[in-house]
Amino acid sequence: MRLPLRITVTTAFAVFTAATILVVAALNYIGSRDAIIETAKTGIVKSADAAEHGIERLLGRAFLAADTIATLPADMFDWDNRESLLGILTVSLKASPEIYGVFVGLRDGSFIQAINLMGPDGKQRKVEGMPDDAVTAWRAIGPAAGGRGRPEQWWHFDEDNNRISPLRAGASDLSTYDPRTRPWFIDAQKKAGAVVSDAYIFSSLKKPGITVAEPLDNAPENTVGIDLSLDDLAGVTARLSPGENGVVAILNESANVLAYPDPAKILKDTGH
């Protein structure tokens, strides 16, 4: 699959070239200016290639998870089947620790999400309101309830898959969240295919991330989404600096930056 991204490498080129000149001189090689610049470019290209492989691995897993869920029978994607669907979403979630969340936005405005509270480094992600021993969470927001908001429910599970907190429900747990108004839902429906969102703040994690989304094959008016934390993507770019002053960034089709060593510089303060 050709990912809808491109890798951009930015560097203080004069510094990078100067370093290259020193290397060339040390080898007693006297070359033209073009040869020196070409050597510098080669180093940059190698960094870009390494970044592309790292991002392809992360995003490739996200696309695979989305594709797998998208092929499920249409009758799975119903509010009344939410617990069965959440179990399936959790399987995809646990298959890739880099994935923060797997969810489905339904045409009636329902939203069903499984959340991975453990990062790829084995440490718990800090999510407000989550029990200290929780490793997985389920979140379900139902259809509109007579204009009073949408009923929101949460479940939390430990590492042995035991429920460790009661279902939260009641008048105080009404949500105004509607997935149909979110860019990832709108863009996937408009394109009728897979999209990668701009970076934004996840409503539950309160940290930046991006979403891979696509319509369901057998119920295309609904959309599946996969959340990736920018911390994980930034980790890839931070490890691949092309020289002392180089920076690797990941851009989407719209030329918006998705991953950068300092995620705070690319945030978009919108809800999930």
Side-chain angles (χ1 to χ4, degrees):
M1 173 184 291
R2 174 81 178 164
L3 300 180
L5 303 169
R6 74 170 184 262
I7 311 298
T8 294
V9 180
T10 303
T11 185
F13 195 71
V15 175
F16 196 93
T17 304
T20 304
I21 292 173
L22 292 176
V23 173
V24 171
L27 296 174
N28 296 317
Y29 174 80
I30 301 176
S32 67
R33 174 178 174 276
D34 289 344
I36 294 171
I37 292 176
E38 189 61 33
T39 301
K41 286 181 179 178
T42 299
I44 292 174
V45 168
K46 288 181 179 179
S47 293
D49 287 344
E52 185 172 10
H53 290 318
I55 295 301
E56 280 185 345
R57 182 180 64 83
L58 290 177
L59 285 179
R61 291 183 179 182
F63 276 106
L64 178 61
D67 289 345
T68 301
I69 294 166
T71 61
L72 293 173
D75 59 7
M76 287 295 304
F77 302 96
D78 186 280
W79 176 249
D80 293 333
N81 293 331
R82 57 189 178 279
E83 291 201 38
S84 296
L85 179 57
L86 280 163
I88 293 173
L89 299 183
T90 302
V91 172
S92 295
L93 188 73
K94 292 188 174 182
S96 300
E98 298 89 353
I99 293 176
Y100 168 68
V102 181
F103 58 86
V104 177
L106 304 181
R107 63 179 176 179
D108 63 1
S110 302
F111 181 74
I112 300 169
Q113 180 184 31
I115 297 173
N116 184 4
L117 299 177
M118 303 301 294
D121 58 0
K123 297 180 180 179
Q124 187 184 47
R125 293 184 168 105
K126 299 302 181 183
V127 180
E128 184 178 357
M130 299 296 168
D132 292 339
D133 52 348
V135 300
T136 307
W138 289 357
R139 180 188 186 193
I141 301 174
R148 297 183 296 105
R150 302 170 184 274
E152 182 173 8
Q153 305 169 337
W154 284 86
W155 297 258
H156 307 102
F157 301 89
D158 64 17
E159 62 183 354
D160 295 320
N161 207 34
N162 298 312
R163 187 179 296 183
I164 56 177
S165 64
L167 177 69
R168 299 191 306 178
S172 62
D173 291 301
L174 292 178
S175 174
T176 59
Y177 182 86
D178 187 339
R180 299 169 299 183
T181 66
R182 303 303 178 181
W184 53 264
F185 189 101
I186 295 170
D187 291 346
Q189 290 292 317
K190 182 178 180 180
K191 185 178 179 180
V195 297
V196 179
S197 76
D198 293 336
Y200 63 99
I201 300 294
F202 291 159
S203 62
S204 56
L205 187 60
K206 308 302 182 187
K207 287 189 175 182
I210 61 172
T211 295
V212 170
E214 64 179 86
L216 303 177
D217 292 352
N218 300 309
E221 66 278 12
N222 303 313
T223 300
V224 58
I226 308 295
D227 282 341
L228 294 171
S229 166
L230 279 197
D231 285 345
D232 296 333
L233 294 177
V236 174
T237 62
R239 293 191 297 269
L240 296 169
S241 296
E244 183 178 352
N245 297 282
V247 174
V248 177
I250 312 300
L251 286 72
N252 65 6
E253 291 177 299
S254 302
N256 294 315
V257 179
L258 300 182
Y260 188 80
D262 183 359
K265 294 182 178 179
I266 61 174
L267 299 188
K268 195 170 194 177
D269 193 9
T270 60
H272 187 280

